[in-house]
Amino acid sequence: MSTRTESFTKPWGREVSPWRDIADHEWNDVGWQLRNLVRTPEQLSSLLGIQETEMASLLRLRKQFRFAISPYYFSLIDREDPSDPIRRMIVPSSVEETGEGDEDPLAEKDDQVAPGLVHRYPDRVLFVVTSFCSSYCRFCIRKRNWRSSDAASSRSEIDEAVAYLRAHDEVRDVLISGGDPLTLPPEQLDYILAQVRSVPHIDFVRIGSREPVMLPMRFTDDLLRLLDKHGPLWINTHFNHPREVTEEAAAACEKLARLGIPLGNQTVLLAGVNDDAATIKDLFHRLLKIRVRPYYFFQCDRVVGADHLRTSPWKGVEIMEALRGHTTGLAVPNFMIDAPGGGGKIPFMPNYQVSAAPGRVVLRNFEGALFTYTDRGTDTGAAPAASVADLANGNSQRILPREQEHYRRRDAKKARAATKK
Ligand code: SF4
């Protein structure tokens, strides 16, 4: 699990990075990391050997989209591999210039009711409090904020948003997000949490943060005390690839878990990064080991400059099929599409309901075996089925796939037990 140990044999990790000679106390200092962000095409060129034509494109892109990478996160890149999955997520490339995609793919602006406050669902709101992140993902859905921010960043904007919350007692759940709220100056984060907490009908406060992934040294004792002061809180983080689950990230999540903060994770399905079942299963297992529950698995939104990272949504269904029943349910999140135009999150899952009739449903299990589930009082105890119609009609209870021997073993065992009686 640790990149620190893996990096002796693999071409990524701090030990093989340009920062290998930096003292531990500097590397582990969030201030040092922020002072040494990789943030220009020229730096990228010297670190990754960017070609001239690509450089020209990056110089143009710099005016359009923000760009920064913490040395910690950069060290996770395999610099020898131009298709490296971490690199695809964080390093800008000329393909972003195609212009495909929307500025605001989820139409959040249409549901904005106060500075930073998006009220789309009946009982919960999104509260965007900054447009700043320590590193900028190329697939971010709020790139529009990189140029002109919708975030509630001043005291008066925060107060205006909180006044809306006070006036709307149907709202009981606030997701504080950004940008990354945990990059805020402590006094500002303290103020926001205190104000939101002071609204009597707010039952849940969640924070969305990618800092456990991008900059795990962020979780200092001071920040942990601040979070503890405003608990109970929930934190949703955002790991996309198994290599992001490093020793440092694990330590950050451990600190949060010890504070009693439940940790959920959302993963975005990204072409060339995690679009295969083995990678996703490995990621979700690693997350469970560090007490982070895979919560949502998202189809990549149609945001401007990220078309090259999108897959077909059926790829997500295929991956979900490879998870459900094949590993612990704790490692099986919901695969969701955030509907364009502000339709909200919609589950897009494999279909396990094959057919239905009054009093019965026909179900498919993870192996492809079909079963009928009968409502109370309508079980006929009928003979084995020949077709799905027989299941739906209640003439049978199951159809078995070929080569699933254990069902036949179970039947034989039952038959032997019945004979003995
Ligand atoms: S950390 Fe989140 S908010 Fe920041 S750039 Fe990445 S996806 Fe966007």
Side-chain angles (χ1 to χ4, degrees), residues 238-292:
H238 181 168
F239 288 84
N240 287 332
H241 191 274
R243 283 217 327 256
E244 293 176 332
V245 188
T246 62
E247 225 171 63
E248 291 89 340
C253 293
E254 174 76 18
K255 288 178 191 171
L256 293 167
R258 281 179 185 276
L259 276 189
I261 297 179
L263 294 164
N265 185 71
Q266 61 183 52
T267 291
V268 180
L269 173 60
L270 297 166
V273 174
N274 58 14
D275 53 345
D276 65 277
T279 301
I280 287 290
K281 198 193 273 191
D282 185 16
L283 169 65
F284 291 170
H285 286 174
R286 288 178 192 228
L287 289 177
L288 287 183
K289 285 198 226 169
I290 63 168
R291 295 198 266 181
V292 178

Side-chain angles (χ1 to χ4, degrees), residues 76-91:
L76 305 185
I77 296 174
D78 174 356
R79 288 184 293 142
E80 301 300 316
D81 178 5
S83 308
D84 178 68
I86 307 290
R87 178 174 176 160
R88 276 178 75 77
M89 284 191 277
I90 205 73
V91 174

Side-chain angles (χ1 to χ4, degrees), residues 112-149:
Q112 190 169 334
V113 289
L117 206 64
V118 178
H119 192 175
R120 167 162 302 157
Y121 301 100
D123 69 345
R124 53 206 186 277
V125 293
L126 166 72
F127 192 14
V128 177
V129 295
T130 179
S131 67
F132 183 81
C133 295
S134 56
S135 305
Y136 291 97
C137 313
R138 308 324 297 166
F139 51 85
C140 181
I141 56 162
R142 300 211 180 97
K143 283 178 184 167
R144 68 183 189 282
N145 282 349
W146 297 354
R147 271 205 299 273
S148 143
S149 176

Side-chain angles (χ1 to χ4, degrees), residues 206-221:
R206 296 183 282 159
I207 295 176
S209 172
R210 210 168 181 228
E211 285 300 82
V213 185
M214 301 301 205
L215 202 53
M217 37 291 282
R218 169 78 65 188
F219 296 88
T220 59
D221 290 347

